[in-house]
Amino acid sequence: MREITGAEFDNEVLNGGKVILDFFSTECPPCEALASKFEDLSRLYGSDIKFLKIFRQGNRELAEKLGVKSSPTLLFFNNGQEVSTRLTGGIKKSDIINNLDSMLPADKVKEIKSLIKPSVSEFDVIILGAGPGGLTAGLYLCQSKINTVLIDIALPGGHVATTHEVSNYPGFIEPQAGYMLSHSMSEQTKLCGTIYKVAVDITRVDLEKKEVIIDEYETVKAKRIIIATGTTPNLTGAPGEKELKGKGISYCATCDAKYYNDKEVIVIGGGNSAVEESEYITRFVNKLTIVHQFDKLTANKQAQDRVFKNPKINILFENEPRAFIKEGDKIVTEVENVKTKERRKLLSDGVFIFIGMKPNIDLFRDKLELDSWGFIKTDEDMRTSVQGVYAVGDVISKKYRQITTAVADGTIAAMAIAKELD
Ligand SMILES: Cc1cc2nc3c(=O)[nH]c(=O)nc-3n(C[C@H](O)[C@H](O)[C@H](O)COP(=O)(O)OP(=O)(O)OC[C@H]3O[C@@H](n4cnc5c(N)ncnc54)[C@H](O)[C@@H]3O)c2cc1C
């Protein structure tokens, strides 16, 4: 594996047989997450496929010529021709392997796979998810001298790492940049001695056996498992939403409503959280329009009554967002009437989307007792319905999902486990 410059591209890539080329940038968390996967795979596939890296900021002209618009981007070449699909963003190891395998004959792939030596490691506790809940559990367990491994599909930090500013985490006078707060949490836990296996693919989780298989061949075993995998906000799926997340589109009123003092916002949704959060947002804004797909709100009656009486709130029933477009400092929300199909454009300073969060439990959904929204039920010590399995943070069934509450859950689970293993 080596780094090349734009000047070497023709020689190394176009005349270079089979090549995988990584356009990376600095200060790019997904690039850092990719680096260890790239290095691992170069050891396996390196004698058949050339592994090259190129610094995007330093080679902008080539990046533009090749249409590389985000970092990291992986390109695959065979005898000068680009092959396979480009991979970009939070790249999974299994997707890279699929592309590499498709460039080689089947017997070669078999030979390479035979070189992979499955490994097994044993710990006292496996924590799945390195957001505030998992990191805090890791810290407390480590300080109790309990051998703990933190496993995350991304880099540590969870939602906090991508939150612009956090002003309600105690102990800081000034608002903290989310990535700095999560970095400090992660370093504290890491320095204590907790083992990190991050930016990995989770192949399988067996809660009963307390086994997690990562990157297909690495088995991690423990006496206890803590699930701290958090949630993913439901998206409307309308064009522009992903691009404007954090740039005018928000999924958290407690976090962002205060930045809209005397402004005008749109709220998408009509259930309890949309209605309750709308009330909260009107402490700050001048005007708020709820856009709801049905002809009635689905929130509880009391919350609805309060919203109908609130002079700052308008409700646009039977409309759904179809696109979000940034225009200067404003956001244009294009909505469509679900009956008449008539479209109109709503101009606002920001958009809040509350159409539910989904817990990240796909890998172990069947084994656990869940509430009717699919969140994991726990007791007061954070024990789940599966013996020896705990859950903390946003993934559990609870009323308030904040950094402080996730941190508190992580503390409780770790202390309960420390007592059990003592
Ligand atoms: C945009 C936004 C802004 C916010 N701002 C604030 C704020 O200002 N103040 C505040 O108190 N709260 C805020 N919150 C809420 C807060 O971020 C969460 O309550 C908190 O992060 C929950 O922590 P957690 O550890 O439970 O989960 P998360 O932070 O969601 O972390 C979960 C971790 O699990 C990992 N993971 C997911 N699936 C798997 C898997 N299968 N295996 C292994 N790992 C997995 C993820 O990669 C992630 O690192 C905000 C939330 C959002 C979305």
Side-chain angles (χ1 to χ4, degrees):
M1 186 183 78
R2 73 179 197 91
E3 190 174 333
I4 59 162
T5 63
E8 294 170 281
F9 177 77
D10 283 4
N11 203 26
E12 291 287 343
V13 178
L14 298 184
N15 301 325
K18 297 182 196 320
V19 178
I20 172 173
L21 179 63
D22 170 16
F23 272 88
F24 70 96
S25 301
T26 47
E27 293 175 28
C28 158
C31 300
E32 288 168 37
L34 175 64
S36 60
K37 301 178 194 183
F38 199 73
E39 207 175 314
D40 273 2
L41 291 173
S42 76
R43 281 193 283 272
L44 270 180
Y45 288 84
S47 44
D48 299 281
I49 296 174
K50 212 193 272 187
F51 277 65
L52 300 175
K53 291 171 81 95
I54 187 159
F55 182 44
R56 187 170 151 222
Q57 282 122 303
N59 297 281
R60 280 173 205 267
E61 212 176 294
L62 176 66
E64 271 162 35
K65 196 172 132 199
L66 293 171
V68 172
K69 289 196 175 9
S70 67
S71 302
T73 299
L74 288 182
L75 285 79
F76 302 80
F77 291 88
N78 198 355
N79 291 328
Q81 292 296 314
E82 193 178 342
V83 292
S84 292
T85 41
R86 290 182 179 191
L87 301 174
T88 187
I91 300 172
K92 288 176 81 178
K93 197 171 182 179
S94 49
D95 289 338
I96 312 174
I97 291 176
N98 286 343
N99 278 8
L100 295 174
D101 287 351
S102 71
M103 293 164 72
L104 297 170
D107 54 345
K108 191 70 199 167
V109 171
K110 210 169 159 196
E111 187 189 318
I112 290 174
K113 295 278 157 82
S114 72
L115 297 174
I116 304 174
K117 298 276 168 277
S119 71
V120 180
S121 51
E122 292 195 23
F123 293 85
D124 291 322
V125 183
I126 293 170
I127 302 172
L128 286 172
L135 289 170
T136 307
L139 178 67
Y140 272 75
L141 287 166
C142 171
Q143 290 188 345
S144 301
K145 303 221 177 303
I146 290 172
N147 191 15
T148 302
V149 62
L150 253 169
I151 301 176
D152 200 304
I153 52 172
L155 291 174
H159 280 317
V160 185
T162 53
T163 298
H164 173 56
E165 267 190 352
V166 177
S167 55
N168 52 10
Y169 191 72
F172 298 95
I173 297 162
E174 296 295 329
Q176 295 294 297
Y179 75 90
M180 274 315 294
L181 180 60
S182 63
H183 175 73
S184 303
M185 282 185 185
S186 173
E187 285 302 293
Q188 191 182 8
T189 302
K190 199 191 271 175
L191 270 179
C192 176
T194 300
I195 303 297
Y196 280 40
K197 291 182 188 285
V198 294
V200 294
D201 289 357
I202 311 255
T203 315
R204 194 157 55 81
V205 176
D206 188 326
L207 294 181
E208 261 128 27
K209 285 193 187 157
K210 314 281 176 295
E211 264 182 26
V212 177
I213 299 178
I214 57 179
D215 293 334
E216 262 178 79
Y217 295 94
E218 189 179 349
T219 304
V220 186
K221 296 181 177 196
K223 296 172 188 145
R224 301 285 183 278
I225 291 185
I226 300 178
I227 300 168
T229 47
T231 56
T232 308
N234 289 328
L235 306 182
T236 65
E241 180 179 6
K242 280 191 187 148
E243 294 75 9
L244 295 178
K245 183 182 167 196
K247 295 176 189 143
I249 294 188
S250 171
Y251 300 83
C252 175
T254 334
C255 325
D256 297 328
K258 51 190 166 291
Y259 303 110
Y260 292 97
N261 246 331
D262 299 330
K263 303 216 163 159
E264 181 174 344
V265 298
I266 301 226
V267 167
I268 312 285
N272 273 331
S273 59
V275 166
E276 281 162 12
E277 299 294 290
S278 291
E279 271 194 280
Y280 172 77
I281 296 169
T282 54
R283 290 190 200 175
F284 306 92
V285 301
N286 274 339
K287 186 176 170 201
L288 182 151
T289 305
I290 294 179
V291 175
H292 184 44
Q293 60 186 158
F294 303 124
D295 61 355
K296 292 184 194 70
L297 295 175
T298 48
N300 70 57
K301 192 78 182 64
Q302 281 173 336
Q304 287 194 35
D305 288 346
R306 288 197 303 274
V307 154
F308 289 132
K309 282 189 199 138
N310 190 321
K312 289 183 178 176
I313 298 179
N314 289 321
I315 307 176
L316 188 59
F317 286 111
E318 298 185 308
N319 272 266
E320 283 181 346
R322 290 289 174 255
F324 300 100
I325 305 135
K326 185 110 182 153
E327 272 189 14
D329 284 348
K330 304 275 182 188
I331 303 241
V332 175
T333 305
E334 194 174 318
V335 294
E336 183 180 280
N337 185 299
V338 291
K339 281 198 176 141
T340 64
K341 304 292 169 206
E342 186 196 334
R343 288 199 179 196
R344 55 194 277 202
K345 290 180 173 172
L346 308 175
L347 195 67
S348 70
D349 297 288
V351 176
F352 287 83
I353 298 175
F354 303 112
I355 54 170
M357 300 285 282
K358 53 174 191 310
N360 296 322
I361 55 158
D362 287 349
L363 285 164
F364 25 76
R365 173 186 304 278
D366 302 342
K367 305 281 172 200
L368 295 160
E369 200 180 325
L370 307 175
D371 69 14
S372 33
W373 291 275
F375 291 86
I376 303 172
K377 282 191 180 178
T378 57
D379 70 9
E380 62 178 353
D381 281 344
M382 305 296 143
R383 287 188 190 91
T384 69
S385 55
V386 178
Q387 173 75 26
V389 177
Y390 291 67
V392 304
D394 284 6
V395 76
I396 71 168
S397 176
K398 63 174 174 181
K399 225 168 167 183
Y400 303 113
R401 294 191 170 83
Q402 288 286 281
I403 305 169
T404 44
T405 58
V407 159
D409 296 346
T411 309
I412 294 167
M415 290 178 85
I417 291 175
K419 210 166 173 191
E420 272 182 25
L421 296 182
D422 198 6

